[in-house]
Structure formats: structure tokens, C-alpha cells
Amino acid sequence: MQAIDFYCKKCRKSMRISYALTGDRTAPAMNGIMIKCHTHKCTRVLTLKNFTEGQIVERTDALGKCYL
């Protein structure tokens, strides 16, 4: 099983949340979850709606980082 770490697209810092892959690319992933960037200067809040595991895998780079 592989875990994908989420990073802020604006400030490039870690959002301190990760997602463990299940293998089903069409399954909804973290529907309705609000993620907030934890840096003091970046005030970005992200709500995941209608995200599937396949979309998360497409945005992930070779190091397991997904920039949202």
C-alpha cells in the first residue's frame, strides 16, 4: 500500500495530511473534507468535492507528493 502526501500548490508546504491508496481508481476519495494550509502567511482552505482516487494519482509526482 502506498501513501500520498498533500502539499499546498500556492506555498509548496506540506498540509500534514496523507491518503492511503486502496487500488480502486473510481472510488470517491475524501469527499467533503476541508484541508487548511498550516503556514502563517498562506491562508488557503481547500474542500475536496467529487475527487476520485484516480484523479489524486494523476496529480501525484514520482515522490508521492500531490499538490492541491
Side-chain angles (χ1 to χ4, degrees), residues 4-68:
I4 295 174
D5 298 321
F6 292 108
Y7 287 80
C8 180
K9 184 170 43 173
K10 184 177 177 184
C11 68
R12 312 295 272 183
K13 300 285 183 176
S14 175
M15 289 188 168
R16 299 180 186 161
I17 192 168
S18 60
Y19 178 74
L21 296 175
T22 61
D24 185 11
R25 292 171 89 57
T26 60
M30 300 190 317
N31 194 14
I33 300 292
M34 293 178 72
I35 302 172
K36 179 180 148 185
C37 188
H38 292 285
T39 60
H40 296 291
K41 293 182 180 181
C42 183
T43 59
R44 191 157 185 247
V45 177
L46 179 70
T47 304
L48 298 178
K49 294 182 180 178
N50 300 326
F51 254 74
T52 62
E53 192 171 300
Q55 291 172 333
I56 292 173
V57 170
E58 289 173 2
R59 292 177 177 227
T60 304
D61 63 2
L63 299 174
K65 296 179 180 181
C66 181
Y67 291 95
L68 297 176

